[in-house]
Amino acid sequence: MHLTRFRLNTARREGRELLGSPHRMHAAVAMSFPQLPARDGSGPRVLWRIDRNSTAEVVLFIVSPSRPDLTHLVEQAGWPAASDTPGWQTYDYGSFLDRLSAGSTWTFRLTANPVHSIRRTDDEPRKRTAHLTARYQTAWLLDRQESSGFAVAEKPPAARMLEHGDELQLVVRDKRDLRFAKAAERRTVSLTSITYDGRLTVTDPVALRRTLTQGLGKAKAYGCGLMTLAPVG
C-alpha cells in the first residue's frame, strides 16, 4: 500500500477546475494508474481526499495498492518547472498499517458522506439523504466505529464544556454541498461531504486496516471515505 501527497496550485485555472468538480478529480486520480484495482469491496481500492489547509495550501491525498504516477497532475495543476523533484511524495503505507496495534492512540482526519435512507410513506421507495446537522453527522460516525476498528476518544472531564455533546475529542467541520455533472451519463450528482478531525483509540487493528484501505461510507469515487492517522502531539 502507498500513501501519496500532492499539493495543488490554486493559482492555475486547471487546478481550480479540478477542485470544483469531484468527477474530474476522480478521473485525474484514476489516470495515475495503468490499471485500477477491483471495486467489488473484497480488497484495497484507490481512495483520495482534498485537504484545504488554507487558501494557498490545498493538498490531494491518495491511498492506493500500487504506486501512482502524477506527472499529468503536476503539468496541469502543479509547479512543473519549480524543481527537479517529481512534484509529489509517495510513502510506504503498508509498513505503517502493519504496526497498528490495539490500544494505540492517534489523531485522525476523515472526509465522508454521512447519509441515511428515509421514506415519507410506507409505499414510497427509500431515498438516500444526507445528515445535515453536526449531531447526526457525529452519530453517523459513532455508529460505525466499532465495526471499523476504532473508538473516538473522550475528553478528560475537566476539558469538557457544560453543554451536552462535548464529551468527545472530535470536531465536525467543513460541510460542503457538492453538485457536479457526469457528462457521460447526462446527469447531475449531488452529495454532501463532511470533514471529521479527532483522536481515536485502535480497538481492532485488522478492522481498522480495512477501513484505512477500503474507505468508510459512500461516495468514495468523489473524495469521501479516506481516513488518515497521525501521531498524537
Side-chain angles (χ1 to χ4, degrees):
M1 294 297 300
H2 299 81
L3 172 66
T4 299
R5 182 185 187 276
F6 169 70
R7 182 182 170 197
L8 286 109
N9 187 345
T10 56
R12 301 187 66 171
R13 176 178 55 83
E14 296 92 337
R16 296 193 299 271
E17 289 177 349
L18 283 172
L19 290 172
S21 172
H23 181 59
R24 292 188 62 179
M25 185 65 79
H26 165 67
V29 170
M31 289 173 61
S32 304
F33 304 92
Q35 185 173 356
L36 289 172
R39 293 173 52 185
D40 58 5
S42 61
R45 57 181 294 167
V46 174
L47 302 169
W48 62 272
R49 186 184 76 217
I50 296 294
D51 281 9
R52 293 171 171 83
N53 299 323
S54 68
T55 303
E57 186 181 358
V58 180
V59 180
L60 168 68
F61 286 96
I62 303 172
V63 165
S64 57
S66 58
R67 182 180 292 270
D69 181 351
L70 273 59
T71 303
H72 62 297
L73 276 173
V74 175
E75 294 172 349
Q76 295 173 18
W79 288 266
S83 67
D84 295 331
T85 62
W88 69 91
Q89 301 83 41
T90 296
Y91 309 95
D92 176 15
Y93 201 40
S95 60
F96 168 77
L97 296 173
D98 291 340
R99 293 196 301 270
L100 290 175
S101 59
S104 59
T105 302
W106 303 85
T107 61
F108 73 91
R109 175 168 292 175
L110 165 70
T111 293
N113 172 227
V115 296
H116 61 135
S117 296
I118 64 171
R119 60 183 177 189
R120 291 169 293 184
T121 61
D122 291 340
D123 57 351
E124 182 181 60
R126 289 188 174 274
K127 179 181 179 180
R128 188 180 295 168
T129 305
H131 288 299
L132 300 178
T133 66
R135 174 186 175 187
Y136 288 105
Q137 291 157 359
T138 298
W140 178 91
L141 180 63
L142 297 181
D143 286 345
R144 288 156 179 77
Q145 61 179 347
E146 182 177 357
S147 61
S148 299
F150 66 90
V152 177
E154 294 187 354
K155 293 180 180 178
R160 299 177 186 178
M161 302 294 286
L162 295 178
E163 65 266 18
H164 176 69
D166 190 54
E167 299 89 355
L168 300 174
Q169 298 190 52
L170 179 69
V171 176
V172 180
R173 63 174 182 84
D174 200 21
K175 176 178 176 290
R176 292 180 179 269
D177 296 315
L178 307 173
R179 186 177 177 87
F180 51 94
K182 291 189 68 174
E185 301 178 17
R186 296 183 179 180
R187 69 185 181 94
T188 299
V189 177
S190 299
L191 63 91
T192 297
S193 71
I194 300 295
T195 296
Y196 301 87
D197 285 331
R199 183 176 293 187
L200 61 76
T201 300
V202 180
T203 57
D204 183 339
V206 174
L208 184 56
R209 291 184 196 108
R210 183 173 61 248
T211 299
L212 297 175
T213 58
Q214 297 186 21
L216 186 60
K218 305 293 184 182
K220 298 183 182 72
Y222 301 126
C224 296
L226 174 56
M227 174 185 281
T228 52
L229 307 181
V232 172

